[in-house]
Each structure stands twice: as structure tokens, then as C-alpha cells.
């Protein structure tokens, strides 16, 4: 008997015989904030990220130009509207060999939506070029639309629902650790900062 | 004690020698417990969420075979290779084979308590494979040659000066450098090199979705993602109890997990792995290792609902003052003390006794496991099966005789009161285990029996 059959047989024999239907989670889907955008900004700030409300891509360029220079640092963008600030002047071209991303100083990505309760953005690999992009860069910026900030994770999964993706992730703030005496350090392995532009 | 080589009380005794460290450990964990309370109280629906999560897991425990097959079929359709391991040995062999197939001798790994349970690192080391743990806390204990002492905070028992010394020795930092920011930066640089050069990456699994065949890995550091996205082969190892029915249920569990663990609204990264990326291999190892047996133990099967948040450890007055290593098992603390005797009753007979049964663990558990009740039940099973410590066995026999005879009971009580009053040194000494870490009470002048005889009307 293979281990597969052995395990399935043992599980089948020992499992709870009593019926327990899957509970209804619909009531949680009703939870909402009065001002989800304000909630989003507060939480993102609390977890070490920074939110900016902007009116246009020009605003974003101006804010990023204060800190990053595509001529001297490697800046990549997955958004065509922000190619002016990148090192190549074009949208990041996907290279299956992710190791060449090791020197990226700033990566700018779009995100499907933000979640007010935890300050995260939901991204799938189509938005990233390569799955490694939002992890390997030194700094990460994401752009979301103000009307795409949803209240809770329950509503997030309504949005994702039957969506197909190979890889998707919620990113909530910069990479961090508190493993050394519980001192919070931003920038553990991934980005040292996370900026979210909320386009109004 | 009848536990072979190790015993919680003895090991805790070693930890307790350094009182300042014990107090510091205690306070640090309580601080995290307090952070948990603060964030939990912001959600009016918290209790309903716990109840719902517990019921979802109950449903999983009743349909695990169906869900396992559903998950397997969906994962395979996604292009993932699924392996089944009946026990730790088979798990280790599968992982080793996958690494060997790549012709490499190195691997990078993000946190997985399952691989700790299976002693994967030691196994691979004997086969010439070097494993580098990439979670900072795990890397630190790995450099120290120790196992993690906490499932979420692996090096919570270590002071920054000790970590500084380890880094000085292994990573070339200046001596006496203990600044967390500097040390983290050093580890970042060293591990980045590792991520960029490993062909095989292993991660744990926080949740696996039967409906879609995807699995979710949660980290704050991003180390699981750095490993998996840069490697040619991604191996994910999971206990079979990690399944949940549908993707939408992740909403319930992700909301509970990190709030309970560290008081955060969510981990920085909650990554959903469904398909290998182009040119990558993805493997899932489904591991039983005693879980199907625990499923059949009616009194203890609820322990399989555990989502490994560590809240029960952070709140446990015994864990906080005895340190994770005193539990001599991969998962320490209250939940670990339920899981370990399932694997080996003899070896872990001491653990269910390492509790005050105060119930704090059950109160904070996000999936409402009746942890302290199960610890109490394990004690009864272990005594019945003959695994009670000899000292305790004799004491219980003496106690039973005394309580059965009113004369002996009254005489013993009187003797006790007189001893504490006139010869306190007879009880307040090292030979009396009750004197350890606590003062003996002062004795009342008379017993209730004596008072009642005098005052009854």
C-alpha cells in the first residue's frame, strides 16, 4: 500500500463522524468602515509604510523624484504612465532570470486593490513582471485607485473569488523583523520601504 | 521521572538559574500578549470569528480525506507535484531525493515547524546537504546550534549581546556589536547572497485550500518569497491538517492568525502559491506523522485545529518562566504539550504536567481549542498507561491512604501545621519541590475541623 493510500485510509477511519456543515461567513462580509481610505492610511502608517493621496501620475513622479534618480539608481516600473522616472525609460521587460533584479533600487507596480483593515495591497504575478520584483527591490511603490480600497479581508476574497492566478500576494508594508529582542527593524530581506499612492 | 533522558521540570530548573533572564523572558512575552489583546479588542466580531474558524476546522476534521483528494487533484491540475509522507522519515527522504535530483548540496529554507518536528536539517546534514534557515530568528538559533524555542519567535530567549557574539563569530561583525539594526543589516546581506545562489528552496505552509490547490505562506521578512521566487525548485512541506475548504475561508484565518501571534493586523506578506512559474518546479509534501492517529483520539483531535500562532505560549505562565527549550519538542508550550505525547507518550509524558491548567491558553486560542482541558485529559491517560513519574505515584498512594482515614488525615494536618510553625526549615528547603520558586504559606492556628468543633452551636 502506498503512503497516499495508507494516509487516506487512516484519515478516513479516524475522522469525526459527526456532521458539521461549513459555517456561514456572509455576516463578516458586511463589516465596513465609515472612511476606508482614512483607515487604510492609518494602518499602513502603523505598519511602517506610507500612503500618499495623489491626483495624477505627475504627482507620483514628483514625490518619487525627491528620493530616487533613475539615472544613477536602477528604477523599474510596471506602469507605462511612470516610465519617465525609470532607468530605461520604458516599462520593465520581463526577464525569467530574476537574479538580474538584485540591484533594483526602486520598483513601481500597480495593485488590484487595497485592504483598509490591514493596509495591504493585493497583487498577482501579471502585475509584477516577475514574482520576485516586489521582494528583491530595495524600495517598493504601489499605485491603487481610491475607489479600490475595500474594507476587510472577507471582502477582499469576494473580489478575488474564482480568479485564476499562478501567484498572488497581499503586501502590507515594508519587509520587517523583530527577531532581535523584539526591536522592530524595517528591511529584513525585502524592501526597506513601502509607499502606496492612492489615486483619487 | 519516567521520560527517558529529558524532563520539563529539570530543564526549566536550568533556565531558572538566571533569574534576571527569566524575568526578562516573562516580560517580553507578556508584552506580546498585551499587543495581541489591544488589537483583538478593536474587532467587535472577534469571538464570532474564533467560533467560525473553529467550526470550519471541525468540518475539515470530518472531511479530511475528501479535502486531501480534492486538494491533490487541484494542485496537480495546477502543475504542482504532490508527494505523500506517512512519517518523518519518509518526509525527509522525499526532500532529500528532490534536492539530490538537482545535483546540488545546498538548500535555503524558510520557517517550517514541520521540518523541525521531522528533524530535517539534521537528516540532510548527515547526507551532505547544507541547509540555511532564512528567517532571521531561525538563522540565529541555527548559528547557535540550537533548535527554535518558540514557533513564531524562534530566538525570543536570546539577548542581543549573545546574538552579536554569534554574528561576530560567524558573519564577521565587529565584537561587542549588539545593535539590532546593524545585525539585521548584516544578516540581510549574507542571506541575500544565499537567496541568489540556491537552486532549491523549501518553505512551510500556513494554509492549503482544498478547492483551488493553492497554499498560503505568511512571513514578515519576505524570506519565503525570496527563496521560492529565485530558486528553480520550490518544495513546500505541510502537515495534512493545514487544509481549509475554500479560498474565501482564508479571510477568516488570515484575520485571526497574526493578530493572535504578534498583535499585527496581518503579516507583511501573505503569499498565495498556486502554480509554478515558467521554468520552475513546485512540489508539495503532504505529511501525516501521527496526525491521523491524533484524529482518532476523540479527546485530543481538536488540537489538529491549531494554526500555529503561538498565542498560547505567549500567555502561558509556565512557558514564560521556563523557556521553550524546557519542552524538548519542536512545538513548545501548551499546544506542543498536547501534540508531543501523541507522537511518543513515553518520551513526552512530562509535558502535560508542565501547566498550571489556568485556562489562559484556551482563552486566547483563535480556533478555540480546549487546550487546558486536553492537558488535564492527557495527564489521566498518561497515569493510566503507567507513565506517571515515580515520585508522583508514591505521593498519590500516600495521599490516597491519608484521605481515606479521618484519623490519619487530622493527624497529618496537625503535624503539617506544627512543622511549618516550629520547624519551617523542614519544609522551606531544596528537598521540597513545592518550595522551588515559591514561599511556603504560614500555617493557620487551627484547622477548620478544630474550629468547627469549638464553635458549633
Amino acid at each position: 500500500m502506498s503512503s497516499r493510500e495508507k494516509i487516506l485510509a487512516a484519515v478516513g477511519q479516524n475522522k469525526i463522524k459527526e456532521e458539521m456543515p461549513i459555517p456561514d461567513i456572509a455576516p463578516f462580509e458586511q463589516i465596513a468602515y465609515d472612511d476606508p481610505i482614512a483607515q487604510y492610511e492609518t494602518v499602513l502608517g502603523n505598519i511602517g509604510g506610507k500612503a500618499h493621496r495623489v491626483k495624477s501620475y505627475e504627482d507620483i513622479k514628483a514625490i518619487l523624484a525627491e528620493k530616487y534618480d533613475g539615472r544613477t539608481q536602477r528604477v523599474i516600473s510596471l506602469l507605462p504612465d511612470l516610465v519617465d522616472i525609470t532607468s530605461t525609460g520604458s516599462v520593465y521587460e520581463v526577464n525569467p532570470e530574476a537574479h538580474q533584479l538584485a540591484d533594483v533600487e526602486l520598483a513601481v507596480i500597480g495593485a488590484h486593490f487595497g485592504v483598509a483593515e490591514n493596509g495591504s495591497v493585493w497583487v498577482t504575478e501579471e502585475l509584477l513582471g516577475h514574482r520576485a520584483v516586489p521582494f528583491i527591490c530595495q524600495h517598493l511603490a504601489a499605485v491603487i485607485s481610491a475607489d479600490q480600497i475595500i474594507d476587510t479581508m472577507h471582502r477582499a476574497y469576494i473580489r478575488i473569488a474564482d480568479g485564476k492566478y499562478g501567484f498572488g500576494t497581499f503586501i502590507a508594508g515594508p519587509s520587517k523583523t523583530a527577531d532581535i529582542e523584539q526591536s522592530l527593524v524595517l528591511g529584513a530581506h525585502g524592501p526597506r520601504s513601502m509607499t502606496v499612492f492612492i489615486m483619487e | 521521572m519516567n521520560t527517558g533522558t529529558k524532563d520539563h521540570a529539570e530543564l526549566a530548573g536550568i533556565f531558572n538559574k538566571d533569574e534576571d533572564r527569566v524575568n526578562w523572558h516573562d516580560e517580553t512575552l507578556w508584552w506580546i500578549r498585551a499587543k495581541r489583546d489591544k488589537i483583538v479588542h478593536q474587532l467587535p466580531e472577534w469571538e464570532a470569528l474564533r467560533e467560525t474558524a473553529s467550526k470550519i476546522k471541525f468540518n475539515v476534521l470530518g472531511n479530511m480525506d475528501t479535502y486531501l483528494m480534492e486538494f491533490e487533484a487541484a494542485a496537480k491540475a495546477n502543475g504542482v507535484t504532490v508527494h505523500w509522507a506517512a512519517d518523518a522519515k519518509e518526509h525527509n527522504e522525499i526532500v532529500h531525493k528532490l534536492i539530490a535530483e538537482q545535483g546540488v548540496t545546498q538548500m535555503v529554507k524558510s520557517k517550517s515547524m514541520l521540518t523541525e518536528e521531522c528533524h530535517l536539517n539534521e537528516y540532510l546534514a548527515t547526507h551532505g546537504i547544507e541547509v540555511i534557515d532564512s528567517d532571521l530568528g531561525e538563522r540565529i538559533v541555527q548559528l547557535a546550534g540550537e533548535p527554535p524555542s518558540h514557533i513564531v519567535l524562534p530566538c525570543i530567549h536570546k539577548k542581543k549581546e549573545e546574538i552579536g557574539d554569534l554574528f561576530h563569530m560567524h558573519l564577521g561583525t565587529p565584537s561587542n556589536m549588539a545593535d539590532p539594526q546593524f545585525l539585521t543589516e548584516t544578516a540581510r546581506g549574507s542571506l541575500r547572497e544565499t537567496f541568489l545562489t540556491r537552486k532549491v528552496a523549501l518553505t512551510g505552509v500556513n494554509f492549503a485550500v482544498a478547492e483551488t490547490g493553492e497554499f498560503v505562506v505568511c512571513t514578515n521578512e519576505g524570506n519565503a518569497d525570496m527563496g521560492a521566487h529565485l530558486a528553480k525548485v520550490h518544495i513546500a512541506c505541510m502537515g495534512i491538517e493545514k487544509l481549509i475548504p475554500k479560498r474565501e475561508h482564508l479571510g477568516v484565518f488570515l484575520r485571526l492568525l497574526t493578530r493572535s501571534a504578534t498583535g499585527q493586523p496581518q503579516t507583511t506578506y501573505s503569499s498565495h502559491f498556486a502554480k509554478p512559474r515558467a521554468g520552475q518546479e513546485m512540489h508539495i509534501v503532504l505529511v501525516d506523522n501521527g496526525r491521523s492517529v491524533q484524529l482518532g483520539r476523540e479527546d485530543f483531535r481538536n488540537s489538529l485545529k491549531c494554526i500555529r500562532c503561538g498565542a498560547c505560549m505567549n500567555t502561558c505562565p509556565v512557558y514564560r518562566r521556563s523557556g521553550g527549550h524546557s519542552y524538548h519538542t519542536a512545538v513548545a508550550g501548551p499546544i506542543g504539550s498536547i501534540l508531543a505525547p501523541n507522537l511518543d507518550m513515553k518520551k513526552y509524558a512530562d509535558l502535560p504536567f508542565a501547566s498550571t491548567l489556568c485556562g489562559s491558553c484556551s482563552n486566547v486560542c483563535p480556533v478555540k481549542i480546549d487546550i487546558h482541558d486536553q492537558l488535564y485529559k492527557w495527564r489521566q491517560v498518561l497515569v493510566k498507561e503507567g507513565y506517571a513519574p515515580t515520585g508522583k505515584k508514591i505521593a498519590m498512594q500516600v495521599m490516597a491512604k491519608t484521605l481515606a482515614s479521618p484519623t490519619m488525615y487530622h493527624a497529618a494536618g496537625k503535624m503539617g501545621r506544627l512543622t511549618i510553625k516550629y520547624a519551617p526549615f523542614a519544609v522551606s528547603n531544596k528537598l521540597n519541590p513545592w518550595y522551588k520558586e515559591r514561599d511556603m504559606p504560614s500555617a493557620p492556628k487551627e484547622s477548620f475541623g478544630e474550629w468547627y468543633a469549638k464553635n458549633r452551636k
Side-chain angles (χ1 to χ4, degrees), chain B residues 133-203:
Chain B
D133 281 317
S134 59
D135 171 87
L136 178 60
E138 291 221 316
R139 183 67 185 136
I140 290 166
V141 288
Q142 187 178 39
L143 290 176
E146 294 172 11
S149 76
H150 186 290
I151 59 171
V152 176
L153 317 154
C155 68
I156 190 78
H157 60 294
K158 283 219 173 301
K159 301 239 178 180
K160 57 178 192 266
E161 290 76 18
E162 295 166 313
I163 298 167
D165 288 345
L166 280 170
F167 277 37
H168 173 59
M169 210 151 54
H170 296 278
L171 301 175
T173 52
S175 57
N176 301 318
M177 171 54 87
D179 173 43
Q181 181 89 38
F182 182 87
L183 296 176
T184 303
E185 186 64 34
T186 304
R188 176 187 171 97
S190 151
L191 285 162
R192 197 159 254 257
E193 196 54 40
T194 307
F195 290 127
L196 287 165
T197 50
R198 295 301 182 271
K199 266 174 95 175
V200 180
L202 187 147
T203 69

Side-chain angles (χ1 to χ4, degrees), chain B residues 313-419:
Chain B
M313 302 171 197
N314 300 343
T315 200
C316 176
V318 177
Y319 175 89
R320 283 187 277 120
R321 299 198 66 82
S322 61
H325 288 153
S326 63
Y327 292 83
H328 59 94
T329 172
V331 180
I335 187 68
S337 300
I338 298 171
L339 299 172
N342 174 58
L343 282 175
D344 188 337
M345 262 192 233
K346 186 165 188 234
K347 196 169 163 197
Y348 301 114
D350 55 324
L351 295 185
F353 295 90
S355 167
T356 60
L357 304 183
C358 67
S360 187
C361 45
S362 307
N363 288 334
V364 297
C365 178
V367 287
K368 290 188 121 176
I369 301 171
D370 47 340
I371 302 176
H372 72 293
D373 287 333
Q374 292 193 37
L375 288 168
Y376 176 59
K377 285 174 184 165
W378 258 130
R379 292 181 185 188
Q380 295 168 61
V381 172
L382 292 164
V383 169
K384 212 177 268 173
E385 301 278 329
Y387 295 119
T390 323
K392 203 160 267 176
K393 263 192 237 167
I394 297 168
M396 292 306 266
Q397 281 161 7
V398 174
M399 188 71 106
K401 283 231 165 67
T402 313
L403 291 177
S405 147
T407 326
M408 262 175 84
Y409 173 72
H410 288 304
K414 190 151 206 154
M415 215 154 73
R417 287 191 297 280
L418 288 171
T419 312

Side-chain angles (χ1 to χ4, degrees), chain A:
Chain A
M1 200 151 82
S2 73
S3 291
R4 179 185 184 275
E5 285 159 6
K6 236 193 295 180
I7 294 168
L8 287 173
V11 166
Q13 199 167 8
N14 290 341
K15 69 182 181 181
I16 300 177
K17 300 292 184 275
E18 199 180 325
E19 285 244 355
M20 169 64 85
I22 301 176
D24 183 16
I25 58 169
F28 298 121
E29 292 166 354
Q30 304 312 312
I31 299 163
Y33 294 97
D34 294 337
D35 185 347
I37 300 179
Q39 173 74 17
Y40 184 88
E41 288 171 317
T42 307
V43 177
L44 182 60
N46 290 345
I47 58 177
K50 187 152 177 47
H52 291 279
R53 292 195 201 200
V54 292
K55 298 256 182 275
S56 67
Y57 284 103
E58 292 310 313
D59 292 351
I60 298 176
K61 285 181 208 168
I63 294 168
L64 289 175
E66 281 174 27
K67 277 195 185 157
Y68 308 98
D69 181 355
R71 288 164 305 182
T72 55
Q73 299 165 312
R74 187 163 173 210
V75 174
I76 63 170
S77 170
L78 274 301
L79 297 171
D81 291 297
L82 292 171
V83 293
D84 303 359
I85 61 160
T86 65
S87 305
T88 57
S90 58
V91 173
Y92 169 65
E93 262 184 59
V94 182
N95 183 334
E97 192 55 47
H99 298 70
Q100 48 78 31
L101 288 161
D103 61 345
V104 170
E105 183 68 13
L106 171 71
V108 191
I109 57 172
H112 295 296
F113 57 82
V115 185
E117 73 158 311
N118 56 33
S120 67
V121 293
W122 169 251
V123 293
T124 50
E125 61 188 329
E126 307 82 64
L127 298 175
L128 305 174
H130 190 286
R131 293 179 186 185
V133 164
F135 304 97
I136 201 168
C137 58
Q138 297 292 321
H139 299 273
L140 179 66
V143 183
I144 49 173
S145 167
D147 57 11
Q148 297 300 320
I149 290 185
I150 55 183
D151 299 272
T152 65
M153 290 299 282
H154 305 294
R155 292 196 177 182
Y157 282 104
I158 294 177
R159 274 289 303 271
I160 299 169
D162 305 323
K164 297 263 182 268
Y165 48 78
F167 172 76
T169 185
F170 287 97
I171 303 177
S175 159
K176 59 176 81 70
T177 183
D179 273 337
I180 302 178
E181 281 201 17
Q182 291 302 297
S183 307
L184 181 69
V185 179
L186 301 182
H189 306 286
R192 303 164 189 276
S193 76
M194 166 78 168
T195 312
V196 178
F197 295 102
I198 304 169
M199 188 83 88
E200 290 182 308

